[in-house]
Amino acid sequence: MDLPLLPTISTFFIVLSAIFVAIGWNLIRQRKIEAHKKVMLLAGASALTFFIIYASRTIFVGNTAFGGPEEYKIFYTIFLIFHITLATTGGVMGLLTIWLGLKNRLDKHRKIGPYTSVIWFFTAITGVMVYLLLYVIYQGGPTTSVFKAILGN
């Protein structure tokens, strides 16, 4: 199996970010505040690394269209739109949650942090599923613009 380099690396970083979020969640439950802060910043850095790789690939190379059976394409497209919505929501909430924590606005940080984490876990899981559908289960389709890759020709 010949896996594409950039999508594989970017997927690794999104999984790594979710692992760091899980570790950070566990650390804060143990009241290890400084360790929680460091690990959550690592989670943010991992997510940012994913985003830089993904955005660079999208701009300079394009996106891979679904290469699986045509009868599954509508289900893949709906799933992909769900993932993109989760990722956008999780990214915005992640930035806000980190900012609130760094600004010591802990009442709001504590309020939205658990929601942000859960959304991020689902983002990572669905992101891995998109990767598997594009590159492992089925052979990727042609590289094209982001809109054509999502919505088809």
Side-chain angles (χ1 to χ4, degrees):
M1 180 179 340
D2 190 25
L3 297 176
L5 183 63
L6 290 178
T8 303
I9 293 170
S10 65
T11 301
F12 166 79
F13 277 104
I14 213 60
V15 169
L16 185 61
S17 73
I19 291 168
F20 283 139
V21 168
I23 293 168
W25 195 340
N26 190 48
L27 287 168
I28 203 60
R29 291 180 71 225
Q30 297 173 29
R31 303 286 184 231
K32 296 180 178 177
I33 295 168
E34 280 306 307
H36 166 78
K37 179 179 176 180
K38 289 176 185 174
V39 169
M40 294 310 252
L41 289 172
L42 285 172
S46 298
L48 179 61
T49 302
F50 158 82
F51 183 75
I52 290 168
I53 294 168
Y54 175 79
S56 298
R57 183 172 183 271
T58 297
I59 292 166
F60 296 112
V61 178
N63 282 75
T64 303
F66 181 64
E70 191 62 34
E71 62 268 19
Y72 295 160
K73 186 171 183 165
I74 186 67
F75 301 108
Y76 170 79
T77 302
I78 292 167
F79 183 77
L80 181 62
I81 291 169
F82 174 70
H83 167 69
I84 291 168
T85 303
L86 274 176
T88 303
T89 303
V92 170
M93 288 182 71
L95 288 170
L96 178 61
T97 304
I98 290 170
W99 183 79
L100 290 169
L102 291 174
K103 291 297 181 181
N104 216 26
R105 296 180 60 189
L106 300 181
D107 55 328
K108 291 183 180 179
H109 177 81
R110 286 183 190 119
K111 189 172 187 176
I112 70 166
Y115 296 104
T116 303
S117 297
V118 170
I119 290 170
W120 199 250
F121 292 138
F122 280 105
T123 297
I125 291 165
T126 58
V128 169
M129 291 171 72
V130 167
Y131 172 82
L132 292 173
L133 288 167
L134 282 180
Y135 304 109
V136 178
I137 297 170
Y138 303 110
Q139 185 174 0
T143 300
T144 186
S145 74
V146 67
F147 295 109
K148 285 183 182 177
I150 294 170
L151 302 174
N153 295 335

